[in-house]
């Protein structure tokens, strides 16, 4: 279970990709206020984006990669009434219940390959992890990496695990290769073999059970072809477990360039 906080104020949209995340002030019910980058369940991409954010974000954190802390953000759609912007108003109105919050890294900068050097060991861990989850959204054009206090942080895992859009083909889709030639960290000589040796053994059934348990039932309920949320959780784990063992043999790095 993710810890949960309640939205008290919509601050501002963070327009970048298409998912229309927004900065939201929250209350944890014990008097502590926080600020979270929030992705809404009513956004166009749908709730699978949120499921991917939770599974991949929690998995990355458990593997020791830096991802801002994730929480569930409870939203009363009434909050939308105060919004002057029609699009935001509509988004909030259609996102009652739980949404996904990511701790806001105040002062973080977007990753600039000309201004930041990543060592091959760290680049290897990130590339290997992205191969595991089949993340297509970490290219040099759109790195989805932040630099905060001198370290890189991973954000935006909503476009990974493409196989969850077509479950009957998930086993074959998840066995496919990963093309990292466009990856933002491809130019840093990523040591993928070392990353695989270190991280693959950590991706166990138990770990996958833990990270998939963090997805709220409400985002898994009613998935066609499944007998409830736990069966969907299992399908995510079944796709990732074998991929962790061998994906390092199927990563293409050639052709990368700053
Ligand atoms: N945790 C965070 N802390 C600070 N800024 C963030 C954080 N998460 C996202 N952002 C900013 O918001 C932008 C959009 O977030 P992102 O998760 O990439 O959503 P999308 O690309 O789907 O719109 C990012 O490029 C970044 O500038
Ligand atoms: Mg993004």
């Amino acid at each position: 279970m993710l810890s949960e906080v309640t939205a008290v104020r919509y601050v501002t949209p963070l327009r970048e990709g298409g998912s229309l995340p927004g900065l939201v002030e929250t209350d944890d019910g014990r008097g502590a206020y926080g600020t979270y980058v929030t992705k809404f369940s009513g956004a166009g991409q749908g709730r699978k984006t949120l499921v991917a954010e939770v599974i991949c974000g929690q998995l990355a954190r458990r593997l020791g990669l830096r991802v801002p802390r994730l929480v569930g953000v409870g939203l009363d759609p009434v909050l939308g009434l105060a919004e002057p912007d029609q699009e935001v108003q509509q988004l909030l109105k259609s996102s009652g219940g739980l949404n996904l919050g990511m701790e806001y890294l105040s002062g973080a900068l977007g990753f600039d390959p000309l201004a930041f050097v990543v060592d091959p060991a760290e680049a290897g861990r990130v590339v290997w992890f992205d191969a595991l989850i089949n993340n297509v959204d970490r290219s040099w054009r759109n790195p989805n990496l932040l630099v905060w206090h001198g370290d890189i942080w991973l954000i935006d895992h909503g476009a990974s695990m493409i196989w969850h859009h077509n479950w009957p083909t998930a086993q074959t889709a998840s066995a496919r290769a990963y093309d990292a030639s466009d990856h933002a960290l491809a130019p840093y000589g990523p040591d993928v073999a070392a990353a695989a040796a270190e991280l693959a053994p950590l991706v166990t059934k138990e770990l996958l059970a833990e990270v998939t348990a963090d997805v709220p039932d409400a985002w898994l309920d009613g998935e066609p072809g499944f007998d409830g949320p736990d069966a969907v959780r299992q399908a995510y784990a079944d796709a990732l477990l074998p991929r962790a063992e061998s994906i390092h043999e199927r990563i293409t790095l050639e052709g990368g360039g700053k």
Side-chain angles (χ1 to χ4, degrees):
M1 272 277 286
L2 293 178
S3 55
E4 286 177 27
V5 297
T6 304
V8 292
R9 192 166 76 94
Y10 182 89
V11 183
T12 187
L14 290 168
R15 289 175 200 277
E16 173 105 356
S19 71
L20 215 67
L23 210 55
V24 170
E25 276 176 5
T26 62
D27 181 349
D28 75 349
R30 296 185 302 275
Y33 291 87
T35 308
Y36 289 90
V37 175
T38 302
K39 295 202 172 175
F40 296 94
S41 61
Q45 282 96 336
R47 58 189 197 169
K48 280 189 183 172
T49 303
L50 309 189
V51 174
E53 290 274 11
V54 173
I55 294 177
C56 301
Q58 296 295 76
L59 183 56
R61 285 170 60 88
R62 294 296 299 270
L63 296 177
L65 297 167
R66 282 180 295 270
V67 173
R69 201 169 68 89
L70 302 176
V71 297
V73 177
L75 177 80
D76 182 340
V78 161
L79 223 60
L81 295 176
E83 275 308 311
D85 182 312
Q86 280 285 325
E87 198 182 1
V88 172
Q89 191 180 105
Q90 202 46 49
L91 184 65
L92 298 182
K93 276 190 188 163
S94 58
S95 301
L98 271 188
N99 299 277
L100 178 73
M102 178 180 268
E103 191 158 21
Y104 178 61
L105 304 182
S106 175
L109 298 173
F111 176 75
D112 175 357
L114 299 176
F116 198 79
V117 175
V118 183
D119 69 69
E122 178 157 34
R125 284 192 289 271
V126 176
V127 169
W128 181 83
F129 173 72
D130 284 331
L132 171 64
I133 64 169
N134 193 43
N135 187 9
V136 295
D137 242 359
R138 193 114 54 214
S139 69
W140 53 270
R141 283 178 218 87
N142 180 23
N144 287 306
L145 293 168
L146 298 177
V147 176
W148 192 60
H149 295 298
D151 288 316
I152 54 168
W153 289 71
L154 279 50
I155 59 164
D156 198 359
H157 301 110
S160 52
M161 302 193 294
I162 190 158
W163 49 81
H164 68 165
H165 296 290
N166 191 355
W167 282 117
T169 64
Q171 284 301 331
T172 37
S174 67
R176 291 211 185 109
Y178 182 71
D179 181 0
S181 55
D182 253 7
H183 195 284
L185 303 187
Y188 298 89
D191 191 346
V192 168
E198 177 193 347
L199 301 179
L202 305 179
V203 183
T204 59
K205 264 188 183 157
E206 292 71 26
L207 181 63
L208 292 170
E210 279 176 41
V211 301
T212 55
D214 283 338
V215 181
D217 280 355
W219 301 345
L220 300 169
D221 261 335
E223 180 68 13
F226 290 93
D227 206 10
D230 281 340
V232 191
R233 290 187 176 98
Q234 189 62 52
Y236 279 103
D238 289 347
L240 290 169
L241 189 65
R243 196 167 165 89
E245 277 172 30
S246 61
I247 190 59
H248 62 283
E249 297 162 0
R250 303 192 301 282
I251 298 176
T252 311
L253 279 162
E254 287 78 44
K258 282 195 210 184

